[in-house]
Amino acid sequence: QVHLEEFGGGSVEAGGSLRLSCVASNYTYTSISMAWFRQVPGKEREGVAIIDDYGTTGYADSVKGRFTISKDNAKNTIYLQMNSLKPDDTARYYCGANPSPQRLWQAGLGYWGQGTQVTVSS
């Protein structure tokens, strides 16, 4: 079992920046991958960025060069720095975790937080 809680959503104008945080707790895995997904009503949840236990990162093509995922192991926290935001980035952003990065990123399987809303206005 992994408990995830997201922070940092909000409203911003296009071109602006936001930083999301996700704190993981209550888990006993020796290694775990964590990721950010997002979802808009009527569409499937899509992967945004992932970071594995070694710090290796991956990004969706739509956010490469604009978003950066990072982690602080001492705080069991991952971050998503989002720059140059676009209206298309508007979505509810979810933090996910799974000991298997493949199951998390490719299948969207794992533990999930409640999400935090990001709204980008034009």
Side-chain angles (χ1 to χ4, degrees):
Q1 187 74 15
V2 181
H3 180 72
L4 301 169
E5 189 168 9
E6 302 97 336
F7 302 91
S11 298
V12 65
E13 292 185 352
S17 299
L18 283 174
R19 189 174 85 151
L20 307 182
S21 303
C22 172
V23 181
S25 61
N26 205 34
Y27 69 95
T28 58
Y29 296 105
T30 56
S31 67
I32 197 162
S33 294
M34 296 179 69
W36 290 99
F37 280 63
R38 65 187 181 187
Q39 189 172 25
V40 297
K43 292 189 176 181
E44 290 188 359
R45 191 175 295 186
E46 64 173 358
V48 175
I50 185 171
I51 187 164
D52 71 10
D53 204 55
Y54 300 98
T56 303
T57 59
Y59 296 91
D61 287 342
S62 59
V63 305
K64 282 181 181 177
R66 300 189 298 122
F67 291 10
T68 302
I69 189 170
S70 61
K71 66 177 181 174
D72 184 334
N73 289 329
K75 297 181 179 180
N76 292 331
T77 300
I78 65 167
Y79 304 95
L80 186 69
Q81 178 65 44
M82 304 185 292
N83 298 329
S84 302
L85 282 161
K86 305 175 182 179
D88 284 349
D89 295 318
T90 296
R92 190 162 187 85
Y93 284 70
Y94 295 88
C95 176
N98 194 312
S100 167
Q102 291 80 14
R103 288 173 63 84
L104 179 60
W105 187 250
Q106 297 174 11
L109 298 175
Y111 302 96
W112 298 97
Q114 295 298 306
T116 185
Q117 180 67 33
V118 172
T119 302
V120 184
S121 59
S122 57

